[in-house]
Amino acid sequence: MADRISKEQRSRNMAAVKNKNTKPEIKVRSHLHKHGFRFRLHDKNLPGKPDIILKKYKTVIFIHGCFWHGHNCKKGKLPATNTAFWKEKIGKNVNRDKKATQALQEQGWKVLTVWECEISDSYLDNFITLNFHQ
């Protein structure tokens, strides 16, 4: 099946996809802040540039979009067109995530991942309770 929009328009659409300050990221940050946590964002000196860094807890949090990071859920479904390209692209993202996680853990960081499909107030409350025992 051919793409419904031109190659140039598809390129503009993909270039507009944000990689920082996404809605899921802002929701997690807001929830952490509401519970009294203070944190840093996107430290380029750490492997993988984690979305949230809680230095006090030696913990980093990645907020992953299900599609872009290959989550096995409804939102992580591959498109029907250009499937080989997307498998390769997402596979590279997954491998990069694994390498960043391993490097951070070797440096003594606790690495947490929040998936886009999981984000809800009750999930975030449980996430905070389980990981930070507040």
Side-chain angles (χ1 to χ4, degrees):
M1 184 171 138
D3 203 350
R4 290 181 286 215
I5 61 175
S6 71
K7 195 172 186 176
E8 294 77 22
Q9 182 61 43
R10 174 69 59 212
S11 180
R12 282 193 297 273
N13 290 354
M14 297 310 289
V17 174
K18 292 170 31 170
N19 65 353
K20 284 193 223 179
N21 303 318
T22 62
K23 286 181 185 179
E25 189 177 322
I26 290 169
K27 181 151 180 139
V28 172
R29 290 182 345 210
S30 173
H31 214 80
L32 285 168
H33 195 270
K34 182 175 81 176
H35 283 83
F37 290 92
R38 299 302 174 258
F39 46 83
R40 297 281 178 240
L41 304 174
H42 312 291
D43 187 338
K44 60 185 170 215
N45 296 317
L46 290 175
K49 285 197 291 186
D51 298 309
I52 298 172
I53 301 97
L54 295 131
K55 215 171 188 181
K56 177 180 177 180
Y57 298 92
K58 191 84 173 167
T59 299
V60 298
I61 302 173
F62 288 100
I63 294 100
H64 284 335
C66 296
F67 173 75
W68 296 105
H69 295 271
H71 194 225
N72 188 19
C73 72
K74 191 167 74 171
K75 290 184 176 192
K77 186 175 181 255
L78 284 175
T81 58
N82 211 0
T83 306
F85 167 80
W86 287 112
K87 276 185 181 177
E88 182 181 348
K89 166 73 174 143
I90 292 167
K92 287 179 184 177
N93 291 348
V94 169
N95 287 334
R96 189 174 57 244
D97 294 341
K98 286 178 185 174
K99 287 178 185 175
T101 296
Q102 183 178 359
L104 286 161
Q105 288 172 335
E106 287 171 0
Q107 292 178 17
W109 290 92
K110 180 179 179 180
V111 180
L112 304 173
T113 301
V114 176
W115 291 97
E116 168 190 22
C117 66
E118 297 173 330
I119 296 174
S120 68
D121 288 339
S122 61
Y123 172 84
L124 293 173
D125 286 337
N126 289 333
F127 176 82
I128 289 169
T129 301
L130 289 172
N131 291 293
F132 302 105
H133 307 289
Q134 269 209 330

